[in-house]
Amino acid sequence: SLDGTLNSLQAVRRRFPELSPRVCAGFMSCGRLALLRMTLKAFVAHMERSEPDVAYEIAWVDQGSGPDAHNVPREVPIEHPLLWRVNYGVTYGLNTLLFALCRRSRFAMTMEEDWLWREERDVVPAIAMAIQVMEFDGTVVGVFLRSVVQYNVETSEPGPWQWTDGDRPVEYRRMCQKGGQWGAWTNGAAIWDREKLEAKVGRLNEQWGDASEQEYATRVGRVFCAAQIRTAENCDFSDCNAVAVHVGSDRTPGWAPEIEYMGNGQYQCMSYGKPVDKDICDKWVKHK
């Protein structure tokens, strides 16, 4: 199986450490090291095979996975491994990845341990294509590598398909904020112009804890759009253009729902885009 093959192999990089990176691939993990090994090795295999001209470095934040985490850098060459004994939360982890460990690179990927590069998209130079879009279109701050379809609709407000210039133009469309909240940001698989984010939007608000994704999406969408690149012919949705797929069926240890403030003292709890039972949500709101 793919899982067994990737978990049994050591990743090989032709340049390590990378001294002049264009992009930093940022990974986070908490307890699910088998998934991390699979996603890291699939990403490295893709870059070495399909995007050898893109200079990349890898940063990794692990939050409380235990002694086995020390074995991962022996299997995958990682420029910036950071292992914490406890889980400080996804928000603190993302800020550390984007604005500390990845500070040498203008562009940075956000990849939790459960976003796997799709085999059928391996030949698509998605990282180079995404960078080309962000350099061409000043309104675009990031490119989704994942699907953002929920309940059979895009969470973004998609624009028309258009092309970059250059010898190898890339077809893309802007993915902008919809309804004043979602649309231009995701914590999941994507690549970002992190210098623009830091200069124009700032960092994620750690006071929101793990519920900060929506708050940050709101701030990002007020300034920029994200984008989607076309990777499949005649495909007009992010699910069939995605180059990374979600493979984690369970939450990480210490799971908590995303708590969304709805106004007038009302809250809603969500888990992977689906509402959590109200009784459970009420307990989490009181706990917070």
Side-chain angles (χ1 to χ4, degrees), residues 60-74:
W60 169 45
V61 170
D62 180 78
Q63 308 203 52
S65 294
D68 188 33
H70 293 273
N71 295 318
V72 173
R74 300 187 182 106

Side-chain angles (χ1 to χ4, degrees), residues 193-225:
D193 187 327
R194 50 157 235 94
E195 292 180 354
K196 277 187 176 180
L197 284 175
E198 189 164 29
K200 301 295 185 180
V201 182
R203 303 187 177 199
L204 286 85
N205 188 340
E206 292 171 14
Q207 293 182 349
W208 282 73
D210 287 358
S212 68
E213 184 176 12
Q214 180 181 345
E215 191 272 340
Y216 197 60
T218 301
R219 284 195 281 139
V220 172
R222 290 172 181 163
V223 185
F224 296 109
C225 291

Side-chain angles (χ1 to χ4, degrees), residues 142-160:
V143 174
F144 297 142
L145 304 175
R146 57 165 291 182
S147 168
V148 290
V149 170
Q150 290 187 5
Y151 309 115
N152 299 317
V153 296
E154 304 279 5
T155 57
S156 306
E157 191 68 52

